[in-house]
Amino acid sequence: MKALNRNNIQTEKRPVKILQFGEGNFLRGFVDWMVEEMNDKAGFNGNVQIVQPLDQGIGDLLNKQDGLYHVKLQGLHAGKTIDQTKLITCVEGVINPYTDYKAYLNQGKNADLKFIISNTTEAGIAFDENDIDYSHTPNTFPGKLTALLHERFKAFEGASDKGLVIIPCELIDKNGEQLQKAILKYADLWKLSESFKSWIKSNNTFCNTLVDRIVPGFPKENIKEIQEELGFEDNLVVMAEPFHLWVIEGPEELEEIFSGPKAGLQIKFVKDQSPYRTRKVRILNGAHTALVPVAYLAGLRTVRESVEDLKIGAFIRETIYDEIIPTLDLSQEELEQFASDVLDRFKNPFIRHELSAIALNSISKFKVRVLPSILEYHRRKRSWPKNLIQSFAALLLFYKGEFDGIKTPINDDAEIVAFFEKLWSNQSESGIVEKVLKKESFWGEDLNQYEGLSKAVSDAMQSAVSIA
């Protein structure tokens, strides 16, 4: 079997247009896969230089393979099984700023550079007031980026056309705005010039984004078979589902220089990504959370078997199309297409998604993902949504700790678990509903104020598994 490197693979030489903070599975199976597609199908003609954001990482392993690796897509798309592999050649390699800070800063002097892309986890976009000396590697990602942007500002004497498009993928709301704020805080901490701060604000574009793709990562269980199939010893294979969506909030001209849509990719450039974030939280995440207690009490244990079950499958489809979609404001066509994609993703035969894993912190998830759909449905229809109310009732039964003689896998804060243990030990079901709905620390308000909600949930508890 051949080693995977550029001695054994002929690759095209392209300018580095993207500096990417993060070498993990998600960026390699999402962003870098897209860049490869854009090079192949839309004439993007750009490569990616990766920066390892932490001292420890897989940079050395990626450099050993000369930046090469394969993405293997497996799942369902439009009802058809997808199983395909793509060699990623657009990654130049990885720089570790902890071992070669000068080489890292020199990336800022690259005239071809157009984009900064990052995924440094939700905690990565942070400001550290103790990060006071940028003559050596700053601790945080925003600190590192500030140092690089300052180097670029000096190298090109503040030229307006040398600003960058900054596209963070961290899973926090308004990620672009949060990153810009952190950079400006570092500029103040380090007493950098007002002209630099003005250049940051006026000549660099910070995009808020939403990313969506399940990337299980390295297939350690069957890597030998995959390597045999590839004919190369690739130790960095990334598994991902076919579905992908990247919503980027920014100026319209971005589409001309970041040519994802021309390559047939689901990259949307929008003025406001909020409706797409709401769509994802309500349909994808909300359906997951609404499904778990109902399906688990019905004796099912994975997402796929739940969706493929005759009665539970019908339940979740009705929930999405009849109760969640009517509460959203995007076009019916967009909402129904996304819902269809979600159901394909739930049925992915290559991923075993345990209901017990999704059940983690179900109370807080229900508040964010499901409760808004219940209340919005009632506001618009003047009635309570039957299936979502059924899920609410099943959730309370799930938190009893056992159902029909079988233990339920509660995994939540100790205070929440203790609250339900005490409640179920000495209350009737109607009393339980009233007390749970009253718990403002759970829901942010007393839900008993909504006329008929307590009765609807109490009635549903009497038939919480009737659909099974």
Side-chain angles (χ1 to χ4, degrees), residues 18-24 27 48-54 59 62 91 93-98 100 103-105 107 116-120 137 141 144-145 148:
I18 298 171
L19 194 64
Q20 174 179 300
F21 288 80
E23 79 282 19
L27 286 181
V48 178
Q49 175 65 59
I50 294 178
V51 176
Q52 186 173 295
L54 301 174
L62 198 47
V91 173
V94 182
I95 289 174
N96 185 341
Y98 292 89
D100 196 343
Y104 162 69
L105 290 179
Q107 294 299 312
I116 301 287
I117 294 174
S118 66
N119 185 25
T120 57
T137 310
F141 157 55
K144 294 180 184 72
L145 182 53
L148 181 126

PDB file of all heavy atoms in Angstrom, residues 18-24 27 48-54 59 62 91 93-98 100 103-105 107 116-120 137 141 144-145 148:
ATOM      1  N   ILE A  18      -6.890  31.055   1.450  1.00  0.00           N
ATOM      2  CA  ILE A  18      -7.602  30.866   2.715  1.00  0.00           C
ATOM      3  C   ILE A  18      -6.619  30.500   3.812  1.00  0.00           C
ATOM      4  O   ILE A  18      -5.798  29.595   3.649  1.00  0.00           O
ATOM      5  CB  ILE A  18      -8.660  29.751   2.588  1.00  0.00           C
ATOM      6  CG1 ILE A  18      -9.721  30.130   1.551  1.00  0.00           C
ATOM      7  CG2 ILE A  18      -9.316  29.466   3.939  1.00  0.00           C
ATOM      8  CD1 ILE A  18     -10.673  28.992   1.218  1.00  0.00           C
ATOM      9  N   LEU A  19      -6.698  31.209   4.935  1.00  0.00           N
ATOM     10  CA  LEU A  19      -5.985  30.824   6.142  1.00  0.00           C
ATOM     11  C   LEU A  19      -7.034  30.266   7.102  1.00  0.00           C
ATOM     12  O   LEU A  19      -8.003  30.957   7.441  1.00  0.00           O
ATOM     13  CB  LEU A  19      -5.268  32.029   6.756  1.00  0.00           C
ATOM     14  CG  LEU A  19      -4.228  31.728   7.831  1.00  0.00           C
ATOM     15  CD1 LEU A  19      -3.073  30.921   7.252  1.00  0.00           C
ATOM     16  CD2 LEU A  19      -3.704  33.031   8.451  1.00  0.00           C
ATOM     17  N   GLN A  20      -6.846  29.020   7.493  1.00  0.00           N
ATOM     18  CA  GLN A  20      -7.872  28.304   8.259  1.00  0.00           C
ATOM     19  C   GLN A  20      -7.357  27.963   9.649  1.00  0.00           C
ATOM     20  O   GLN A  20      -6.357  27.264   9.794  1.00  0.00           O
ATOM     21  CB  GLN A  20      -8.255  27.023   7.515  1.00  0.00           C
ATOM     22  CG  GLN A  20      -9.207  26.101   8.265  1.00  0.00           C
ATOM     23  CD  GLN A  20      -9.541  24.890   7.431  1.00  0.00           C
ATOM     24  OE1 GLN A  20     -10.088  25.005   6.337  1.00  0.00           O
ATOM     25  NE2 GLN A  20      -9.213  23.702   7.933  1.00  0.00           N
ATOM     26  N   PHE A  21      -8.046  28.458  10.671  1.00  0.00           N
ATOM     27  CA  PHE A  21      -7.683  28.162  12.059  1.00  0.00           C
ATOM     28  C   PHE A  21      -8.454  26.919  12.501  1.00  0.00           C
ATOM     29  O   PHE A  21      -9.666  26.972  12.735  1.00  0.00           O
ATOM     30  CB  PHE A  21      -8.013  29.340  12.961  1.00  0.00           C
ATOM     31  CG  PHE A  21      -7.085  30.513  12.778  1.00  0.00           C
ATOM     32  CD1 PHE A  21      -7.263  31.391  11.707  1.00  0.00           C
ATOM     33  CD2 PHE A  21      -6.034  30.739  13.658  1.00  0.00           C
ATOM     34  CE1 PHE A  21      -6.417  32.482  11.532  1.00  0.00           C
ATOM     35  CE2 PHE A  21      -5.179  31.818  13.480  1.00  0.00           C
ATOM     36  CZ  PHE A  21      -5.370  32.688  12.415  1.00  0.00           C
ATOM     37  N   GLY A  22      -7.748  25.808  12.592  1.00  0.00           N
ATOM     38  CA  GLY A  22      -8.372  24.558  12.993  1.00  0.00           C
ATOM     39  C   GLY A  22      -8.087  23.470  11.979  1.00  0.00           C
ATOM     40  O   GLY A  22      -8.279  23.679  10.772  1.00  0.00           O
ATOM     41  N   GLU A  23      -7.611  22.307  12.467  1.00  0.00           N
ATOM     42  CA  GLU A  23      -7.283  21.196  11.582  1.00  0.00           C
ATOM     43  C   GLU A  23      -8.149  19.986  11.879  1.00  0.00           C
ATOM     44  O   GLU A  23      -7.882  18.883  11.419  1.00  0.00           O
ATOM     45  CB  GLU A  23      -5.789  20.837  11.718  1.00  0.00           C
ATOM     46  CG  GLU A  23      -5.410  20.003  12.922  1.00  0.00           C
ATOM     47  CD  GLU A  23      -5.326  20.761  14.240  1.00  0.00           C
ATOM     48  OE1 GLU A  23      -5.882  21.874  14.364  1.00  0.00           O
ATOM     49  OE2 GLU A  23      -4.709  20.219  15.166  1.00  0.00           O
ATOM     50  N   GLY A  24      -9.225  20.186  12.658  1.00  0.00           N
ATOM     51  CA  GLY A  24     -10.056  19.076  13.097  1.00  0.00           C
ATOM     52  C   GLY A  24     -10.950  18.511  12.009  1.00  0.00           C
ATOM     53  O   GLY A  24     -11.007  19.012  10.876  1.00  0.00           O
ATOM     54  N   LEU A  27     -13.810  20.973  10.043  1.00  0.00           N
ATOM     55  CA  LEU A  27     -13.350  21.872   8.974  1.00  0.00           C
ATOM     56  C   LEU A  27     -12.833  21.093   7.772  1.00  0.00           C
ATOM     57  O   LEU A  27     -13.066  21.468   6.622  1.00  0.00           O
ATOM     58  CB  LEU A  27     -12.265  22.812   9.498  1.00  0.00           C
ATOM     59  CG  LEU A  27     -12.727  23.954  10.406  1.00  0.00           C
ATOM     60  CD1 LEU A  27     -11.541  24.817  10.811  1.00  0.00           C
ATOM     61  CD2 LEU A  27     -13.794  24.812   9.735  1.00  0.00           C
ATOM     62  N   VAL A  48      -5.646  26.194   0.792  1.00  0.00           N
ATOM     63  CA  VAL A  48      -5.873  26.492   2.203  1.00  0.00           C
ATOM     64  C   VAL A  48      -4.589  26.238   2.978  1.00  0.00           C
ATOM     65  O   VAL A  48      -3.989  25.166   2.871  1.00  0.00           O
ATOM     66  CB  VAL A  48      -6.990  25.572   2.780  1.00  0.00           C
ATOM     67  CG1 VAL A  48      -7.209  25.848   4.260  1.00  0.00           C
ATOM     68  CG2 VAL A  48      -8.280  25.726   1.986  1.00  0.00           C
ATOM     69  N   GLN A  49      -4.170  27.237   3.748  1.00  0.00           N
ATOM     70  CA  GLN A  49      -3.087  27.030   4.716  1.00  0.00           C
ATOM     71  C   GLN A  49      -3.732  26.937   6.094  1.00  0.00           C
ATOM     72  O   GLN A  49      -4.451  27.841   6.509  1.00  0.00           O
ATOM     73  CB  GLN A  49      -2.084  28.178   4.685  1.00  0.00           C
ATOM     74  CG  GLN A  49      -0.994  28.093   5.744  1.00  0.00           C
ATOM     75  CD  GLN A  49      -0.090  26.893   5.541  1.00  0.00           C
ATOM     76  OE1 GLN A  49       0.543  26.758   4.496  1.00  0.00           O
ATOM     77  NE2 GLN A  49      -0.019  26.019   6.534  1.00  0.00           N
ATOM     78  N   ILE A  50      -3.484  25.819   6.764  1.00  0.00           N
ATOM     79  CA  ILE A  50      -4.092  25.621   8.075  1.00  0.00           C
ATOM     80  C   ILE A  50      -3.166  26.124   9.170  1.00  0.00           C
ATOM     81  O   ILE A  50      -1.943  25.964   9.101  1.00  0.00           O
ATOM     82  CB  ILE A  50      -4.422  24.129   8.308  1.00  0.00           C
ATOM     83  CG1 ILE A  50      -5.521  23.670   7.330  1.00  0.00           C
ATOM     84  CG2 ILE A  50      -4.858  23.876   9.741  1.00  0.00           C
ATOM     85  CD1 ILE A  50      -5.890  22.196   7.450  1.00  0.00           C
ATOM     86  N   VAL A  51      -3.764  26.750  10.187  1.00  0.00           N
ATOM     87  CA  VAL A  51      -3.055  27.138  11.407  1.00  0.00           C
ATOM     88  C   VAL A  51      -3.586  26.261  12.536  1.00  0.00           C
ATOM     89  O   VAL A  51      -4.802  26.179  12.750  1.00  0.00           O
ATOM     90  CB  VAL A  51      -3.304  28.622  11.752  1.00  0.00           C
ATOM     91  CG1 VAL A  51      -2.639  28.978  13.086  1.00  0.00           C
ATOM     92  CG2 VAL A  51      -2.809  29.523  10.638  1.00  0.00           C
ATOM     93  N   GLN A  52      -2.682  25.598  13.239  1.00  0.00           N
ATOM     94  CA  GLN A  52      -3.083  24.778  14.387  1.00  0.00           C
ATOM     95  C   GLN A  52      -3.319  25.725  15.566  1.00  0.00           C
ATOM     96  O   GLN A  52      -2.384  26.342  16.061  1.00  0.00           O
ATOM     97  CB  GLN A  52      -1.978  23.763  14.713  1.00  0.00           C
ATOM     98  CG  GLN A  52      -2.342  22.768  15.793  1.00  0.00           C
ATOM     99  CD  GLN A  52      -1.276  21.692  15.951  1.00  0.00           C
ATOM    100  OE1 GLN A  52      -1.052  20.892  15.038  1.00  0.00           O
ATOM    101  NE2 GLN A  52      -0.613  21.680  17.093  1.00  0.00           N
ATOM    102  N   PRO A  53      -4.559  25.849  16.042  1.00  0.00           N
ATOM    103  CA  PRO A  53      -4.844  26.884  17.044  1.00  0.00           C
ATOM    104  C   PRO A  53      -4.366  26.555  18.450  1.00  0.00           C
ATOM    105  O   PRO A  53      -4.249  27.444  19.289  1.00  0.00           O
ATOM    106  CB  PRO A  53      -6.374  26.994  17.006  1.00  0.00           C
ATOM    107  CG  PRO A  53      -6.844  25.685  16.483  1.00  0.00           C
ATOM    108  CD  PRO A  53      -5.777  25.168  15.582  1.00  0.00           C
ATOM    109  N   LEU A  54      -4.094  25.262  18.716  1.00  0.00           N
ATOM    110  CA  LEU A  54      -3.587  24.844  20.022  1.00  0.00           C
ATOM    111  C   LEU A  54      -2.192  24.260  19.868  1.00  0.00           C
ATOM    112  O   LEU A  54      -1.811  23.801  18.790  1.00  0.00           O
ATOM    113  CB  LEU A  54      -4.528  23.809  20.650  1.00  0.00           C
ATOM    114  CG  LEU A  54      -5.973  24.258  20.871  1.00  0.00           C
ATOM    115  CD1 LEU A  54      -6.816  23.095  21.359  1.00  0.00           C
ATOM    116  CD2 LEU A  54      -6.037  25.423  21.853  1.00  0.00           C
ATOM    117  N   GLY A  59      -1.376  18.471  13.438  1.00  0.00           N
ATOM    118  CA  GLY A  59      -0.648  19.150  12.366  1.00  0.00           C
ATOM    119  C   GLY A  59       0.497  18.333  11.797  1.00  0.00           C
ATOM    120  O   GLY A  59       0.677  18.262  10.580  1.00  0.00           O
ATOM    121  N   LEU A  62      -0.801  15.617   9.557  1.00  0.00           N
ATOM    122  CA  LEU A  62      -1.294  16.153   8.288  1.00  0.00           C
ATOM    123  C   LEU A  62      -0.130  16.574   7.392  1.00  0.00           C
ATOM    124  O   LEU A  62      -0.163  16.360   6.171  1.00  0.00           O
ATOM    125  CB  LEU A  62      -2.231  17.329   8.558  1.00  0.00           C
ATOM    126  CG  LEU A  62      -3.189  17.792   7.467  1.00  0.00           C
ATOM    127  CD1 LEU A  62      -3.934  16.633   6.830  1.00  0.00           C
ATOM    128  CD2 LEU A  62      -4.168  18.815   7.998  1.00  0.00           C
ATOM    129  N   VAL A  91      -5.309  21.513   0.628  1.00  0.00           N
ATOM    130  CA  VAL A  91      -4.651  21.908   1.878  1.00  0.00           C
ATOM    131  C   VAL A  91      -3.134  21.888   1.692  1.00  0.00           C
ATOM    132  O   VAL A  91      -2.548  20.853   1.373  1.00  0.00           O
ATOM    133  CB  VAL A  91      -5.063  20.972   3.032  1.00  0.00           C
ATOM    134  CG1 VAL A  91      -4.254  21.279   4.294  1.00  0.00           C
ATOM    135  CG2 VAL A  91      -6.557  21.097   3.323  1.00  0.00           C
ATOM    136  N   GLY A  93      -0.841  22.549   4.036  1.00  0.00           N
ATOM    137  CA  GLY A  93      -0.184  21.974   5.206  1.00  0.00           C
ATOM    138  C   GLY A  93      -0.608  22.733   6.446  1.00  0.00           C
ATOM    139  O   GLY A  93      -1.559  23.524   6.414  1.00  0.00           O
ATOM    140  N   VAL A  94       0.087  22.501   7.546  1.00  0.00           N
ATOM    141  CA  VAL A  94      -0.274  23.084   8.841  1.00  0.00           C
ATOM    142  C   VAL A  94       0.918  23.825   9.430  1.00  0.00           C
ATOM    143  O   VAL A  94       2.033  23.310   9.462  1.00  0.00           O
ATOM    144  CB  VAL A  94      -0.741  21.991   9.832  1.00  0.00           C
ATOM    145  CG1 VAL A  94      -1.173  22.615  11.161  1.00  0.00           C
ATOM    146  CG2 VAL A  94      -1.871  21.166   9.237  1.00  0.00           C
ATOM    147  N   ILE A  95       0.672  25.046   9.886  1.00  0.00           N
ATOM    148  CA  ILE A  95       1.656  25.829  10.628  1.00  0.00           C
ATOM    149  C   ILE A  95       1.252  25.812  12.094  1.00  0.00           C
ATOM    150  O   ILE A  95       0.089  26.005  12.430  1.00  0.00           O
ATOM    151  CB  ILE A  95       1.705  27.285  10.126  1.00  0.00           C
ATOM    152  CG1 ILE A  95       2.334  27.349   8.732  1.00  0.00           C
ATOM    153  CG2 ILE A  95       2.472  28.181  11.095  1.00  0.00           C
ATOM    154  CD1 ILE A  95       2.272  28.726   8.118  1.00  0.00           C
ATOM    155  N   ASN A  96       2.240  25.578  12.974  1.00  0.00           N
ATOM    156  CA  ASN A  96       1.996  25.630  14.411  1.00  0.00           C
ATOM    157  C   ASN A  96       2.613  26.920  14.952  1.00  0.00           C
ATOM    158  O   ASN A  96       3.842  27.033  15.039  1.00  0.00           O
ATOM    159  CB  ASN A  96       2.610  24.411  15.102  1.00  0.00           C
ATOM    160  CG  ASN A  96       2.276  24.355  16.584  1.00  0.00           C
ATOM    161  OD1 ASN A  96       1.898  25.352  17.185  1.00  0.00           O
ATOM    162  ND2 ASN A  96       2.431  23.180  17.182  1.00  0.00           N
ATOM    163  N   PRO A  97       1.790  27.909  15.321  1.00  0.00           N
ATOM    164  CA  PRO A  97       2.358  29.190  15.780  1.00  0.00           C
ATOM    165  C   PRO A  97       3.112  29.080  17.103  1.00  0.00           C
ATOM    166  O   PRO A  97       3.872  29.984  17.455  1.00  0.00           O
ATOM    167  CB  PRO A  97       1.127  30.086  15.919  1.00  0.00           C
ATOM    168  CG  PRO A  97      -0.028  29.158  16.063  1.00  0.00           C
ATOM    169  CD  PRO A  97       0.320  27.928  15.305  1.00  0.00           C
ATOM    170  N   TYR A  98       2.914  27.969  17.818  1.00  0.00           N
ATOM    171  CA  TYR A  98       3.634  27.778  19.082  1.00  0.00           C
ATOM    172  C   TYR A  98       5.081  27.353  18.854  1.00  0.00           C
ATOM    173  O   TYR A  98       5.930  27.567  19.720  1.00  0.00           O
ATOM    174  CB  TYR A  98       2.912  26.746  19.950  1.00  0.00           C
ATOM    175  CG  TYR A  98       1.576  27.223  20.458  1.00  0.00           C
ATOM    176  CD1 TYR A  98       0.417  27.017  19.722  1.00  0.00           C
ATOM    177  CD2 TYR A  98       1.474  27.925  21.664  1.00  0.00           C
ATOM    178  CE1 TYR A  98      -0.806  27.467  20.171  1.00  0.00           C
ATOM    179  CE2 TYR A  98       0.250  28.387  22.122  1.00  0.00           C
ATOM    180  CZ  TYR A  98      -0.893  28.157  21.375  1.00  0.00           C
ATOM    181  OH  TYR A  98      -2.106  28.625  21.820  1.00  0.00           O
ATOM    182  N   ASP A 100       6.616  27.977  15.574  1.00  0.00           N
ATOM    183  CA  ASP A 100       7.211  28.882  14.583  1.00  0.00           C
ATOM    184  C   ASP A 100       6.285  30.081  14.407  1.00  0.00           C
ATOM    185  O   ASP A 100       5.538  30.187  13.430  1.00  0.00           O
ATOM    186  CB  ASP A 100       7.424  28.159  13.250  1.00  0.00           C
ATOM    187  CG  ASP A 100       8.384  28.913  12.327  1.00  0.00           C
ATOM    188  OD1 ASP A 100       8.612  30.116  12.570  1.00  0.00           O
ATOM    189  OD2 ASP A 100       8.886  28.306  11.368  1.00  0.00           O
ATOM    190  N   ALA A 103       6.838  32.255  11.161  1.00  0.00           N
ATOM    191  CA  ALA A 103       6.239  31.696   9.938  1.00  0.00           C
ATOM    192  C   ALA A 103       4.734  31.942   9.924  1.00  0.00           C
ATOM    193  O   ALA A 103       4.144  32.214   8.873  1.00  0.00           O
ATOM    194  CB  ALA A 103       6.540  30.204   9.842  1.00  0.00           C
ATOM    195  N   TYR A 104       4.131  31.861  11.103  1.00  0.00           N
ATOM    196  CA  TYR A 104       2.691  32.143  11.202  1.00  0.00           C
ATOM    197  C   TYR A 104       2.409  33.597  10.833  1.00  0.00           C
ATOM    198  O   TYR A 104       1.551  33.883   9.978  1.00  0.00           O
ATOM    199  CB  TYR A 104       2.200  31.836  12.617  1.00  0.00           C
ATOM    200  CG  TYR A 104       0.875  32.495  12.935  1.00  0.00           C
ATOM    201  CD1 TYR A 104      -0.302  32.072  12.315  1.00  0.00           C
ATOM    202  CD2 TYR A 104       0.797  33.570  13.814  1.00  0.00           C
ATOM    203  CE1 TYR A 104      -1.514  32.695  12.576  1.00  0.00           C
ATOM    204  CE2 TYR A 104      -0.400  34.194  14.089  1.00  0.00           C
ATOM    205  CZ  TYR A 104      -1.556  33.758  13.463  1.00  0.00           C
ATOM    206  OH  TYR A 104      -2.750  34.378  13.707  1.00  0.00           O
ATOM    207  N   LEU A 105       3.115  34.544  11.427  1.00  0.00           N
ATOM    208  CA  LEU A 105       2.866  35.966  11.148  1.00  0.00           C
ATOM    209  C   LEU A 105       3.124  36.300   9.682  1.00  0.00           C
ATOM    210  O   LEU A 105       2.455  37.166   9.104  1.00  0.00           O
ATOM    211  CB  LEU A 105       3.740  36.844  12.051  1.00  0.00           C
ATOM    212  CG  LEU A 105       3.372  36.865  13.545  1.00  0.00           C
ATOM    213  CD1 LEU A 105       4.348  37.751  14.306  1.00  0.00           C
ATOM    214  CD2 LEU A 105       1.938  37.358  13.749  1.00  0.00           C
ATOM    215  N   GLN A 107       2.286  34.711   7.207  1.00  0.00           N
ATOM    216  CA  GLN A 107       1.089  34.425   6.409  1.00  0.00           C
ATOM    217  C   GLN A 107       0.266  35.692   6.172  1.00  0.00           C
ATOM    218  O   GLN A 107      -0.436  35.804   5.166  1.00  0.00           O
ATOM    219  CB  GLN A 107       0.221  33.368   7.100  1.00  0.00           C
ATOM    220  CG  GLN A 107       0.854  31.995   7.186  1.00  0.00           C
ATOM    221  CD  GLN A 107       1.142  31.419   5.810  1.00  0.00           C
ATOM    222  OE1 GLN A 107       0.292  31.421   4.925  1.00  0.00           O
ATOM    223  NE2 GLN A 107       2.361  30.919   5.634  1.00  0.00           N
ATOM    224  N   ILE A 116     -10.233  34.368   5.970  1.00  0.00           N
ATOM    225  CA  ILE A 116      -9.907  33.699   7.224  1.00  0.00           C
ATOM    226  C   ILE A 116     -11.114  32.849   7.591  1.00  0.00           C
ATOM    227  O   ILE A 116     -12.248  33.356   7.643  1.00  0.00           O
ATOM    228  CB  ILE A 116      -9.637  34.696   8.367  1.00  0.00           C
ATOM    229  CG1 ILE A 116      -8.471  35.634   8.028  1.00  0.00           C
ATOM    230  CG2 ILE A 116      -9.426  33.956   9.692  1.00  0.00           C
ATOM    231  CD1 ILE A 116      -7.112  34.996   8.077  1.00  0.00           C
ATOM    232  N   ILE A 117     -10.895  31.561   7.844  1.00  0.00           N
ATOM    233  CA  ILE A 117     -11.974  30.662   8.255  1.00  0.00           C
ATOM    234  C   ILE A 117     -11.540  29.978   9.541  1.00  0.00           C
ATOM    235  O   ILE A 117     -10.355  29.663   9.708  1.00  0.00           O
ATOM    236  CB  ILE A 117     -12.295  29.633   7.145  1.00  0.00           C
ATOM    237  CG1 ILE A 117     -12.862  30.363   5.919  1.00  0.00           C
ATOM    238  CG2 ILE A 117     -13.292  28.585   7.633  1.00  0.00           C
ATOM    239  CD1 ILE A 117     -13.084  29.489   4.711  1.00  0.00           C
ATOM    240  N   SER A 118     -12.477  29.751  10.456  1.00  0.00           N
ATOM    241  CA  SER A 118     -12.081  29.172  11.742  1.00  0.00           C
ATOM    242  C   SER A 118     -13.154  28.256  12.308  1.00  0.00           C
ATOM    243  O   SER A 118     -14.337  28.392  12.015  1.00  0.00           O
ATOM    244  CB  SER A 118     -11.807  30.297  12.760  1.00  0.00           C
ATOM    245  OG  SER A 118     -13.008  31.001  13.058  1.00  0.00           O
ATOM    246  N   ASN A 119     -12.697  27.313  13.115  1.00  0.00           N
ATOM    247  CA  ASN A 119     -13.573  26.568  14.015  1.00  0.00           C
ATOM    248  C   ASN A 119     -12.716  26.152  15.202  1.00  0.00           C
ATOM    249  O   ASN A 119     -12.037  25.140  15.178  1.00  0.00           O
ATOM    250  CB  ASN A 119     -14.197  25.345  13.345  1.00  0.00           C
ATOM    251  CG  ASN A 119     -15.192  24.653  14.269  1.00  0.00           C
ATOM    252  OD1 ASN A 119     -15.746  25.279  15.166  1.00  0.00           O
ATOM    253  ND2 ASN A 119     -15.401  23.377  14.065  1.00  0.00           N
ATOM    254  N   THR A 120     -12.761  26.969  16.243  1.00  0.00           N
ATOM    255  CA  THR A 120     -11.911  26.765  17.421  1.00  0.00           C
ATOM    256  C   THR A 120     -12.755  26.409  18.637  1.00  0.00           C
ATOM    257  O   THR A 120     -12.355  26.700  19.767  1.00  0.00           O
ATOM    258  CB  THR A 120     -11.076  28.031  17.695  1.00  0.00           C
ATOM    259  OG1 THR A 120     -11.968  29.155  17.858  1.00  0.00           O
ATOM    260  CG2 THR A 120     -10.136  28.323  16.547  1.00  0.00           C
ATOM    261  N   THR A 137       3.482  34.049  20.884  1.00  0.00           N
ATOM    262  CA  THR A 137       2.159  33.541  20.500  1.00  0.00           C
ATOM    263  C   THR A 137       1.087  33.854  21.542  1.00  0.00           C
ATOM    264  O   THR A 137       1.179  33.403  22.693  1.00  0.00           O
ATOM    265  CB  THR A 137       2.217  32.008  20.317  1.00  0.00           C
ATOM    266  OG1 THR A 137       3.320  31.691  19.471  1.00  0.00           O
ATOM    267  CG2 THR A 137       0.931  31.494  19.707  1.00  0.00           C
ATOM    268  N   PHE A 141      -7.477  32.367  20.123  1.00  0.00           N
ATOM    269  CA  PHE A 141      -7.605  32.510  18.669  1.00  0.00           C
ATOM    270  C   PHE A 141      -7.768  33.972  18.261  1.00  0.00           C
ATOM    271  O   PHE A 141      -7.066  34.451  17.351  1.00  0.00           O
ATOM    272  CB  PHE A 141      -8.751  31.633  18.155  1.00  0.00           C
ATOM    273  CG  PHE A 141      -9.338  32.078  16.849  1.00  0.00           C
ATOM    274  CD1 PHE A 141      -8.553  32.264  15.725  1.00  0.00           C
ATOM    275  CD2 PHE A 141     -10.710  32.320  16.736  1.00  0.00           C
ATOM    276  CE1 PHE A 141      -9.095  32.683  14.511  1.00  0.00           C
ATOM    277  CE2 PHE A 141     -11.266  32.744  15.535  1.00  0.00           C
ATOM    278  CZ  PHE A 141     -10.458  32.932  14.426  1.00  0.00           C
ATOM    279  N   LYS A 144      -4.381  35.614  18.428  1.00  0.00           N
ATOM    280  CA  LYS A 144      -3.513  35.215  17.308  1.00  0.00           C
ATOM    281  C   LYS A 144      -3.915  35.943  16.027  1.00  0.00           C
ATOM    282  O   LYS A 144      -3.070  36.402  15.249  1.00  0.00           O
ATOM    283  CB  LYS A 144      -3.592  33.704  17.086  1.00  0.00           C
ATOM    284  CG  LYS A 144      -3.029  32.852  18.213  1.00  0.00           C
ATOM    285  CD  LYS A 144      -3.175  31.380  17.878  1.00  0.00           C
ATOM    286  CE  LYS A 144      -2.721  30.482  19.023  1.00  0.00           C
ATOM    287  NZ  LYS A 144      -3.657  30.487  20.160  1.00  0.00           N
ATOM    288  N   LEU A 145      -5.233  36.024  15.793  1.00  0.00           N
ATOM    289  CA  LEU A 145      -5.711  36.665  14.565  1.00  0.00           C
ATOM    290  C   LEU A 145      -5.420  38.164  14.578  1.00  0.00           C
ATOM    291  O   LEU A 145      -5.050  38.741  13.546  1.00  0.00           O
ATOM    292  CB  LEU A 145      -7.209  36.408  14.392  1.00  0.00           C
ATOM    293  CG  LEU A 145      -7.851  36.978  13.121  1.00  0.00           C
ATOM    294  CD1 LEU A 145      -7.108  36.528  11.868  1.00  0.00           C
ATOM    295  CD2 LEU A 145      -9.324  36.568  13.038  1.00  0.00           C
ATOM    296  N   LEU A 148      -1.845  38.666  13.586  1.00  0.00           N
ATOM    297  CA  LEU A 148      -1.652  38.446  12.145  1.00  0.00           C
ATOM    298  C   LEU A 148      -2.217  39.609  11.324  1.00  0.00           C
ATOM    299  O   LEU A 148      -1.571  40.077  10.374  1.00  0.00           O
ATOM    300  CB  LEU A 148      -2.307  37.133  11.723  1.00  0.00           C
ATOM    301  CG  LEU A 148      -2.143  36.812  10.240  1.00  0.00           C
ATOM    302  CD1 LEU A 148      -1.544  35.416  10.048  1.00  0.00           C
ATOM    303  CD2 LEU A 148      -3.475  36.903   9.486  1.00  0.00           C
TER     304      LEU A 148
END
